[in-house]
Amino acid sequence: MALGLACLAGPPSRGQEASLSWRPLGGPPGRISHLAVSGDGTALYAVSVAFTFRRDDQTQWWTDGRPARSDALYWSQDGGASWQPLTNDLPPGPLSALYADAEGRKLYVGAVDGLWVGTPAGNWQRVALDRDGLRVRRIARSADGRNLYVAGVAVEGAIGHLYRSADDGRTWTPLALPPADDTLEDLLPAPDDPLRLYLTTRRNRLLRSDDGGATWTLLRGPQEAESDPPPLPPRLAISPDRPQMLLWAQARPGGGIGLERSNDGGAHWQPLPTAGLGAATGAKALAGLRNGIFLLNTAQGTFRSADAGMSWQPLEGALSSGGVAEFLLWPEGAAAPATGGDRAPAAATDEQIVLAATGYGVFLSRDGGALWQPRSSGLPFNGRIAGLLAHAGRPGQLWALMDTRPIADTPAPPTVLRSSDGGQSWSPAAAGLGGLIPDAWAADPTAADRLLIAGREHFAFSNDGGRTWQVRPLPAGPHSAIAVAPADPRVIYLAGWPALRSRDRGQSWEPMPIVKPGQVEQASAAMALAVDAADANHVWAGLADGVYESTDGGRTWRPAGLEGKAVRRLQVGSEADLYAAVEGEGLYRWEAGRWNAATGLPTGSTILDLLQDARRPDLLWATRDGGGVYRSTDGGATWTNVATGLGDNLARALAADPDADQAPGAGVWIGTANAGVWTLDAADGAGQAEPPPAADARIELVWPHGGAAVTTAQQVNIGLRLFDRNSLEPTPCGWSPRLTIWQAVDTNPAEPVGEATRRTVDGQPFPFWELNDVDVGRATDPAHKIYFMVKGSGLDLATSIWAHAADPRTYFPHQDVPSGLATDALDALDARIQIVWPHDAAGMERPPAEATEANVAVLLFKHGTRLSVPVGWQPPGLILYGAWNHEVGRPLARTAVAGIRTSGAITYPVWEFTNIPVARAADPANRLFLWVVVEGIETHFNIWVHGMEARTLFPVPDEPIRGCIP
């Protein structure tokens, strides 16, 4: 077999001229699912969402692994000019609703298994409602502020439920909620009537209550439920200064969007024209502002009406494309958010401030939604990047193709984002693309501003760098690669099923069946395509079983090697080289009449992206699924790992600036799965990281070998993550503290088990540690229990507690009695909690299910002995720590009352912490781990569990909100 291609052997390797390290540039930001603001404007809250796939070894993958989602809460005290993480104490899982009270002192969140309430300082508690398994959809207050409402659906059965509290959330009353054959979608209190509520359902129903939710009237929608719900739920908006004016948007059964307006609170409706909304098929977000202004987001972008919905104009700029989760109106009379970090004076009476939670960050408008500015500084850059493109003649300009696949209850980013400053800031470049999900993309090598995208049913092209797009239909099917013929750019090949060819630059398409010799009736799906730079009719196709070649524009095909191998990517180099990426086998290069496997890539590599640097034909870059970036300086024959500094971040895409100089790594970018865009620098001391001031250690996994039950498991593997304090942001990629797993058995003080080992990807460390083969044989006896925790040498480290036992509740019928008093130096102590005495606010003893407070008594012994510290000895400081459920331990009290006890001839001191809040333990789902530390002295402590159900039930590990950064 001979390929019709003259391939040249690459020049000798130039080696690595300098130490190379990847450096994050920032954006684009990720999806923001919810916004909330306190009534006085002093606190603004946002939920950021990240999504990736991980294998059991915690490596990220694009095509494999379990789905891993992270929802993290952030807050801003300057109107969104800057953001900080708020907490990591909420249970892992999606956050479905958000509400802040008037003064910002209390925050309600719809989280796993219901409603949670907390403060900016933490103190999160699950609100006791009359059922478990509630997915909260809306939290809102009545117009007069007296009533707080929570609307949600049952996870099992999707039945709607509504609750009302008239005492600021202390008690809740369930309300009747028709209809039973439909799913609650949203709840909107009227802005002028404290008893009026509007409720929308998934099947286009609108109901109204005029008595605070006690009874309901159907205003619009079918009396009987339709067989199939619409593709998008309906949206309702209320004009804040004309509260009788309602705007209703719903998807029409035959396609398009329907708009209607009511001027009498929903009694009567008037259809509105929708000509200005283009091909919109439904509303994703809808909001009413003063003076008849409405904002509407659809798959085609965001639209604004200044005449109460009669006409609509598409927005340009930040909200021109991409999804919006919700629009948030700034509270009337609150101080306006400043342009910088300082607070501004109260908003002008004609100023309408509104924020948008979008698929790529938070944006703010001061003029009623006409112009928008980004407000995402401090939010995580976790946009999921699928591809990067760069063009000759456009120095520093970069286009990012975003993964817009749906993530439940989150807005999609624009399909394309453009950066004019080398990846540091981004703006949409997707006007006209609608909801197209990109599967393949390319930059036309013959035209500096021409970009091409293919989805499952559409092909789109832009001739102006993404400012405008034209969309053409395609035969439905998967499309995986675009190849433009440099010799004749009118010819474009499209891989997939079916494979297609265009001879008019993508205006029209014709089938290009890839029929193997001898298989006249059966065409094969193409996974990859490449075209000869000198001949538009000379094309190669990568199939599931090898490479095939055509010299007549795809009319006939012949085998071209790599038989039996799944070829996922083909690329023709600038030196007439041909490269093939084979699933699970790395890279091959055609030379001297044969395919030769590249060396230096890990065994089993699947290449995600391959880039030949146009400035140096011998220089190539490759990314691989599961992590890693590789570089070849000899035309692709050998490869070297150059992932320094990248941690476990999955590099999905590559691009190089053809106009940058030829220094090693200059002008090279990677797009990651959840850590933004990075660039490659020559640097000394690459990969070194400054330690954070404080960190949280969370035990994510205690896995019994073979998945055995606690009562039979002999050994376990323990895995843990480190996060920056009070956040889901991982600690720096290259930071390598010494971490030790400790265990406390029964009521005995904790002792070290072993030092945890940090995991790596291609030799690059990331913030996940593990300790394997830990002996837990004692816990096979239900009378014994083991508590695991993490300690770090010289670190300000908070730890979670993991209970491994059939029944981890603390039983301590006989308190410790000292055998004597210590008389020598006390350089290490055992802090043994003796009793946790639950009581009510009046000091009367109560069981855990009823107690609101507890007293905790502790004795201090010389480490490893039963010799008590002597009477009169004063600890430098005594701290009672507590960790609820999966949370890390926080100080609960620093002041203890000293007392004296006598046992026989021995008199010894005891310390008691009083009135510790334990009301959360009244919920059987909650447990409190308690321990005591003496400041400045090595302390070995026992663990006391307070609660009705003490086992660690932790089916969902914490997922970082973004990838680690140096």
Side-chain angles (χ1 to χ4, degrees), residues 182 238 371 560 638 711:
D182 206 344
I238 306 174
L371 299 175
T638 61
T711 52

Side-chain angles (χ1 to χ4, degrees), residues 8-12 14 571-579 589 610-621 632-637 639 662:
L8 303 178
R14 301 184 187 183
Q571 183 166 315
V572 175
S574 57
E575 291 289 315
D577 297 324
L578 183 63
Y579 303 93
R589 177 188 177 201
L610 177 65
L611 173 71
Q612 186 173 42
D613 199 318
R615 301 161 296 177
R616 288 178 51 179
D618 61 317
L619 181 60
L620 291 95
W621 308 84
S632 173
T633 58
D634 57 7
W639 294 82
Q662 296 188 28

Side-chain angles (χ1 to χ4, degrees), residues 64-81:
D64 198 3
R66 62 170 177 83
R69 172 172 170 164
S70 179
D71 290 44
L73 195 58
Y74 284 75
W75 75 317
S76 172
Q77 296 175 279
D78 51 18

Side-chain angles (χ1 to χ4, degrees), residues 289 293 295 302 304 315 352 354 365-372:
L289 283 68
I293 296 175
L295 298 174
T302 304
R304 182 177 185 266
L315 294 184
Q352 292 205 66
V354 59
S365 171
R366 299 177 184 275
D367 57 3
L371 299 175
W372 296 83

Side-chain angles (χ1 to χ4, degrees), residues 716-965:
V716 297
N717 294 351
I718 300 174
L720 67 101
R721 282 192 179 276
L722 289 188
F723 296 94
D724 288 345
R725 179 61 47 87
N726 296 323
S727 83
L728 288 176
E729 296 185 354
T731 54
C733 300
W735 184 47
S736 186
R738 182 180 178 184
L739 301 179
T740 304
I741 304 293
W742 288 54
Q743 68 176 14
V745 179
D746 300 331
T747 58
N748 295 311
E751 296 292 342
V753 178
E755 187 172 338
T757 303
R758 186 178 52 173
R759 283 185 175 171
T760 62
V761 176
D762 280 358
Q764 298 306 308
F766 65 97
F768 192 94
W769 282 257
E770 61 187 343
L771 179 63
N772 295 330
D773 305 328
V774 177
D775 183 4
V776 292
R778 293 193 64 179
T780 59
D781 181 348
H784 295 301
K785 50 219 73 185
I786 302 175
Y787 307 102
F788 293 109
M789 69 215 71
V790 184
K791 289 190 177 184
S793 177
L795 303 178
D796 183 359
L797 188 70
T799 179
S800 63
I801 304 293
W802 188 291
H804 179 82
D807 182 3
R809 289 175 294 175
T810 300
Y811 294 97
F812 203 2
H814 303 291
Q815 297 183 25
D816 293 308
V817 177
S819 61
L821 300 178
T823 59
D824 53 357
L826 297 173
D827 52 357
L829 295 173
D830 290 343
R832 294 175 174 266
I833 294 176
Q834 300 296 297
I835 188 170
V836 174
W837 183 71
H839 59 83
D840 59 20
M844 300 296 294
E845 183 176 2
R846 292 287 183 265
E850 301 175 14
T852 58
E853 299 171 347
N855 294 357
V856 179
V858 61
L859 299 183
L860 301 179
F861 297 87
K862 181 179 175 62
H863 174 54
T865 75
R866 288 304 177 99
L867 300 177
S868 171
V869 298
V871 174
W873 184 86
Q874 293 296 324
L878 206 58
I879 306 175
L880 174 66
Y881 282 87
W884 287 99
N885 306 323
H886 69 286
E887 301 170 14
V888 299
R890 314 288 191 202
L892 300 182
R894 295 177 181 271
T895 302
V897 178
I900 296 176
R901 291 181 183 175
T902 298
S903 177
I906 302 173
T907 300
Y908 56 94
V910 62
W911 285 266
E912 185 173 11
F913 297 91
T914 60
N915 303 329
I916 305 302
V918 295
R920 287 178 63 181
D923 185 339
N926 293 329
R927 66 209 62 88
L928 176 62
F929 300 97
L930 295 164
W931 65 97
V932 174
V933 172
V934 181
E935 286 188 287
I937 299 178
E938 178 185 320
T939 308
H940 298 248
F941 44 78
N942 67 342
I943 301 292
W944 189 293
V945 187
H946 176 77
M948 292 180 285
E949 165 58 83
R951 289 173 298 170
T952 297
L953 305 175
F954 200 40
V956 181
D958 295 290
E959 173 64 24
I961 190 58
R962 59 158 171 79
C964 66
I965 59 177

Side-chain angles (χ1 to χ4, degrees), residues 324-345:
V324 174
E326 61 181 343
F327 297 102
L328 176 70
L329 276 63
W330 197 254
E332 293 286 340
T339 54
D342 298 328
R343 302 295 301 168

Side-chain angles (χ1 to χ4, degrees), residues 406-487:
I407 301 174
D409 300 320
T410 69
T415 303
V416 185
L417 294 169
R418 179 178 57 241
S419 174
S420 297
D421 54 11
Q424 298 182 69
S425 61
W426 296 84
S427 59
L433 286 176
L436 187 149
I437 297 177
D439 293 324
W441 45 87
D444 189 330
T446 68
D449 288 316
R450 184 169 168 81
L451 308 174
L452 314 173
I453 300 176
R456 188 172 180 85
E457 298 181 357
H458 296 92
F459 176 82
F461 59 90
S462 173
N463 295 322
D464 53 14
R467 290 175 176 81
T468 60
W469 290 84
Q470 298 181 53
V471 181
R472 299 290 182 266
L474 288 176
H479 299 109
S480 54
I482 300 171
V484 180

